[in-house]
Structures are given as structure tokens and as C-alpha cells.
Amino acid sequence: MSLSVALAVLAATSNALGTVLQRRAALTVPASTSLRLGLLADLLRTPVWLAGIVGVTLSAILQAAALGSGSLAVVQPVFVLELPLALVIGGMVFHVRPSRASWASVALIAVGLAVFLLSLAPSGGRDRVPGLWWAPALAVTGALGAALVLAALRRSFGPARAAGLAVGAALGNALAAALMKSSMGVLEDQGVRAFLLSWQTYGFAVIGGTSLFVLGTAMQAGPLIASQPALVLTDAVAGVVLGMTLYDEQPRTGPWLLSALLGFALLTSGVVALSRTRCLAGCLNAEEEAPKRGRGDGAVGDDRDGRTARQPRSGSAVPQDRTGSAAAQDRAAA
């Protein structure tokens, strides 16, 4: 379990880096009111987005290694750490100084995740799933995710649209992880040739790519307080459910379930609180890098109530990108 958790933490770190870069890139291209292919074309011409893809790709490799050595119900919840890691990485990239309130939220997430995983401590399970068992999992998860995405696309830009798209992307992420674990079992047992011929290999690639596309649209759709909790919490819950139903991973029961619920409540509180901070909004939604720190010189710093504020230089204006409405909603939600 310790090896899979360590690999999952590294995967979450790489994914957080990719998220920061992708968020920066998504705010420099025209906003999209639908899942248009033009959005993908715009992003492909953005070097920052391509660098983010490298981070996401490395994350997928590390995630595959984690799933090959551990259970789905353990690995997927660890990706909740992507949110506080995005705060740390984005703070360094965009010169945003996290507040004490942000660090308190990070601590709450870490404690909640530790309690949740140690309480569940899933055991047993199998590396591969019988073929017929995939049909209901693909049908139910796919239909639910598609329905949420289609419903979100009927909404105007705002929290409901962002949350719906993020939940759809999270369900796709969890399903892709389940398929990835199965294909890694094929690789270990039967070799590279069987891995390349396995339908699960192409299934996780297609579903994972689609989820990445939906997530890019969710990032433009509304404030972080709507999209980020929906994304990371849904991914964690769906991962646990798929681990138990598909892979027969057995969590501890009895009083341990109560402590697991307590851990998840702490985790949820920390995620929601962190998503409300201006620090995280600045890390994932910075309009420009501040060249220096300090008051009155255009730097990003903490105000007295633990939020981050951007101070423009005297006589200068803060530049707005072409998706200013989404950025304004992030700031308003904070």
C-alpha cells in the first residue's frame, strides 16, 4: 500500500503542475459555449498548454504504476491532493503567497485524507475484471457522465455549468483509471503484445482523453469553488465505488466506516475552504506574473483576512484576457 500511495502522490503532483499550466493556457484562448473542436485547436497552438499535457502524461504513467501495485480504492482518493499541490506549485509559478487560511485548509485536507484511507484500508481484490462485468460499469458511469455534461452545456457560464462539467470529467477519470488498472494487469501477466491488443488499453486512452477535453471546458465555465470540489471529490468517491464493485476491494467495516465518514467530512471541508480562497484562484487564474513582491508594486500578497489581492501599479491597469468573465467569477467566488 505504501508504494502505491507514494506513486499516487507523485502522480498527483505532476497532474497539479499540468493543471496550473492548462488553466493558464485556457484563459488565453476564446471562451467556448460548447464542446467545440476549435477550443482544442486553439490550445494546441499554446506552448503552455502543451507543457501542461507533458505533466498530465507523466501523471498518467505514474498513476498506471500506482494502480499496478495497489488498489483503485486507495489510489484515486489520493488525487484529492492535487488541489493543495496546485496551490503550492501555482504559488511558485505565479508568485502568489498562500495565506494562513489556505495552509489551514491544506492541513485539513491532509488529515482528512489520511483518516479516510487508514479507516477504509481496502484489502483483497483482483487485478483483472471479467469481461461481462464491464458492461454495467461502462453503461451506468458513461450514461451518468454524459447526462451531466449535456445538462451543464445547457446552462450559461457560472457555477452550475462548471460543476456539472467537472463531475462529468471526474466520472470519466475514475472509469479511465479502472480500465487502466485492468490493462496493467494484462501487461504484467501476458506481456506487451497482449497489452497492446487489450480493449481496456484503448478504452482508458479514449475515455481519459475525452475527460481531459471536458475538464478544459469546465475550467472556462465558472469559478473554482464550483469546479474544483466537484472534480476531486467525485473522482475520489467514484474510484472507491468502482474499486469495490469491479475489483472486489473490501474496505473495513463496523466503527471504521464511521471514522472513514469523519475523514471524508474533514476532507470535503478542507477542499471547499481551499477552493474559496483567493490564493488558489490566483494560482490557477493568474493574469500575469508579478515581477516583484511588495506592497504597491504589482505583487500578489495576503490581506488581513487571509485572502490574496492583486495591487496594480499606480497609473497602470490590470490586463484582461479574452475569458475575463470566467476569471471575474473566480475572484467573486473567493
Side-chain angles (χ1 to χ4, degrees):
M1 178 176 174
S2 58
L3 175 60
S4 61
V5 170
L7 289 170
V9 170
L10 291 175
T13 303
S14 184
N15 213 40
L17 175 60
T19 297
V20 170
L21 297 178
Q22 287 177 328
R23 177 63 179 177
R24 179 65 178 266
L27 293 173
T28 64
V29 299
S32 175
T33 57
S34 63
L35 292 174
R36 64 179 181 87
L37 293 179
L39 172 61
L40 183 59
D42 290 336
L43 291 173
L44 285 172
R45 292 192 294 267
T46 308
V48 174
W49 189 80
L50 294 175
I53 289 296
V54 173
V56 172
T57 302
L58 178 59
S59 174
I61 295 172
L62 291 167
Q63 183 184 16
L67 290 169
S69 61
S71 68
L72 182 65
V74 169
V75 171
Q76 284 308 104
V78 172
F79 275 82
V80 171
L81 293 177
E82 179 185 338
L83 199 59
L85 288 168
L87 173 73
V88 176
I89 295 172
M92 292 186 293
V93 170
F94 297 122
H95 298 174
V96 177
R97 186 169 58 249
S99 66
R100 288 188 296 271
S102 297
W103 287 121
S105 300
V106 169
L108 197 59
I109 291 172
V111 171
L113 179 62
V115 172
F116 180 70
L117 292 179
L118 291 174
S119 298
L120 284 184
S123 59
R126 48 179 169 255
D127 293 331
R128 297 173 62 185
V129 177
L132 291 177
W133 288 32
W134 283 109
L138 290 169
V140 173
T141 309
L144 181 58
L148 286 166
V149 170
L150 291 174
L153 290 175
R154 295 191 185 98
R155 299 271 189 167
S156 59
F157 284 92
R161 181 184 178 95
L165 291 171
V167 171
L171 290 173
N173 286 341
L175 186 57
L179 290 165
M180 181 187 292
K181 180 173 176 61
S182 181
S183 64
M184 290 302 294
V186 172
L187 177 63
E188 183 177 351
D189 295 340
Q190 303 178 37
V192 175
R193 184 174 184 275
F195 172 80
L196 294 176
L197 294 176
S198 172
W199 70 268
Q200 289 96 331
T201 300
Y202 300 97
F204 83 70
V206 171
I207 294 175
T210 302
S211 299
L212 182 63
F213 181 40
V214 174
L215 179 58
T217 305
M219 285 180 172
Q220 287 191 322
L224 294 179
I225 184 57
S227 62
Q228 293 303 309
L231 175 68
V232 298
L233 295 175
T234 301
D235 194 0
V237 172
V240 172
V241 171
L242 289 174
M244 292 189 296
T245 55
L246 281 175
Y247 288 94
D248 198 28
E249 297 167 355
Q250 301 297 321
R252 291 198 282 193
T253 58
W256 291 107
L257 289 179
L258 293 178
S259 62
L261 289 175
L262 174 61
F264 190 76
L266 293 174
L267 179 62
T268 302
S269 299
V271 167
V272 172
L274 183 58
S275 298
R276 289 182 180 276
T277 63
R278 289 180 184 267
C279 292
L280 185 63
C283 288
L284 297 184
N285 193 26
E287 294 159 339
E288 62 176 356
E289 293 188 28
K292 295 180 181 180
R293 292 186 180 182
R295 298 189 182 279
D297 65 355
V300 177
D302 294 337
D303 57 21
R304 290 185 177 273
D305 65 356
R307 297 176 298 180
T308 302
R310 183 178 297 277
Q311 301 291 339
R313 290 181 178 85
S314 176
S316 66
V318 177
Q320 297 293 326
D321 55 41
R322 286 173 286 180
T323 56
S325 59
Q329 289 171 353
D330 277 341
R331 291 191 296 272

